[in-house]
Amino acid sequence: MTFIGIDGVVHHVVVDGSGPPCVLSPGLGMCWFDWDPVVPLLAADRTVVRFDRPGLGLSGHTRRWPTLGGEARRIAAVLDALRLDGPVTLVGHSLAGFHAEAFARLFPGRAAGLVLVDSSVEEDPRPRRGRAVRDTATRAYATLVSAAGLPRVAGPPLRRAAVRAGRVGGQDPAPYDAVRRAYSTGRWLHAALAENATYTDQAVALAALRRRRPLPPGLPVTVLAADDPRRPAHRRARWLARQRALATHLNGTLRVSSPSGHLLMLDHPQDVAEAVLHAQARPPLAEEERARLWPGVSGGGRS
């Protein structure tokens, strides 16, 4: 466990194991310990990097609005601070699937593989109006609720309830003390609400990025989808069809974990670990190839 400063914000970072690096990035409002069941399955063969986005887990608060490009650059900045130049396997769960894919497109020379764990999918996202109004309203609501002390009282129980709902027949395995430290604060509420408010903005940004920047040639991509038997049959089939379409669009492979809830890393950590270990590291692209595919982008997309 360590703390590093990025753009004036203290980030909580945890590194385990040794070998080729991989980054585990959790979904909306989640934090480092949500990957705890996966880490022991990887640490013997991979350098496993986990970090908390601003306001989440043990990271410091920021007033900056989350953006897709900002989150991709945050991953790069964490790796830079750890002196891990790559190539790295990116693992993104839910909303962080957007961030992982954006990193691979913006920093092609640093991406070794992409594993999307029950990733968010938006086939045709449309821009939303009134971003400034949404920003102000979200911050005002979070400030009001935090001042009333509700995160301290309701944060940990809500976390526990959300995990139970996101799993198939399982409880929250995280230690209570860790949950209390991460979910009893106003900074967590601000961060979670900000990520929720900018979800569509990030989906729109990813759709635009896909048109401008291809994935690196030969990049191994695995879409790991949760097959939740608690869903109505039509919704279950529809979700798997959307995940299959995502895999096809990224020229990747679909793998299904069943039975599993959305928190697939808790229900089937071995499936996540297997997908990471089978993502074959590829050598960095030659400078000529990078220049051909991404004109004007130097250093494999580091800038």
Side-chain angles (χ1 to χ4, degrees), residues 13-283:
V13 181
V14 181
V15 182
D16 297 279
S18 61
C22 66
V23 174
L24 308 182
S25 191
L28 191 155
M30 301 174 70
C31 56
W32 90 97
F33 54 70
D34 289 302
W35 294 105
D36 277 355
V38 178
V39 173
L41 306 176
L42 291 175
D45 301 289
R46 296 289 186 273
T47 298
V48 184
V49 177
R50 294 175 285 168
F51 70 93
D52 294 322
R53 295 187 293 275
L56 303 178
L58 302 182
S59 288
H61 174 64
T62 182
R63 291 189 60 82
R64 291 187 179 183
W65 211 232
T67 66
L68 181 76
E71 296 309 322
R73 289 188 290 272
R74 193 184 314 282
I75 296 172
V78 169
L79 294 171
D80 288 343
L82 297 174
R83 298 184 178 180
L84 296 172
D85 291 331
V88 61
T89 299
L90 287 307
V91 185
H93 168 253
S94 194
L95 171 65
F98 290 171
H99 307 160
E101 183 184 339
F103 178 94
R105 292 180 184 276
L106 291 172
F107 300 88
R110 305 184 74 175
L114 186 60
V115 178
L116 304 180
V117 181
D118 216 43
S119 178
S120 297
V121 182
E122 296 297 333
E123 292 84 356
D124 186 25
R126 303 296 177 89
R128 296 175 62 191
R129 297 181 178 179
R131 178 167 176 173
V133 174
R134 283 186 282 124
D135 185 353
T136 301
T138 298
R139 294 188 191 282
Y141 177 76
T143 299
L144 179 65
V145 172
S146 297
L150 289 182
R152 179 174 56 83
V153 175
L158 286 174
R159 147 78 193 197
R160 296 295 200 195
V163 171
R164 287 195 298 270
R167 298 192 62 188
V168 174
Q171 300 296 314
D172 186 354
Y176 178 76
D177 183 61
V179 172
R180 180 185 58 79
R181 292 176 68 191
Y183 288 87
S184 296
T185 66
R187 58 181 167 77
W188 167 78
L189 181 63
H190 276 83
L193 290 177
E195 289 192 339
N196 183 68
T198 58
Y199 171 85
T200 300
D201 300 320
Q202 295 189 48
V204 170
L206 180 59
L209 185 62
R210 285 171 173 169
R211 292 190 290 269
R212 300 195 314 269
R213 296 284 188 88
L215 286 174
L219 183 75
V221 177
T222 300
V223 174
L224 191 57
D227 183 20
D228 192 339
R230 300 170 300 176
R231 290 178 174 176
H234 69 284
R235 291 185 57 196
R236 185 177 178 183
R238 173 60 179 158
W239 178 247
L240 293 180
R242 296 177 71 193
Q243 293 285 298
R244 184 176 296 106
L246 175 63
T248 300
H249 180 77
L250 300 179
N251 196 27
T253 301
L254 175 70
R255 302 177 68 176
V256 178
S257 288
S258 183
S260 177
H262 182 54
L263 300 181
L264 199 154
M265 71 279 268
L266 301 182
D267 279 342
H268 288 287
Q270 69 280 1
D271 289 354
V272 178
E274 183 178 352
V276 173
L277 293 173
H278 281 79
Q280 299 297 316
R282 61 177 184 82

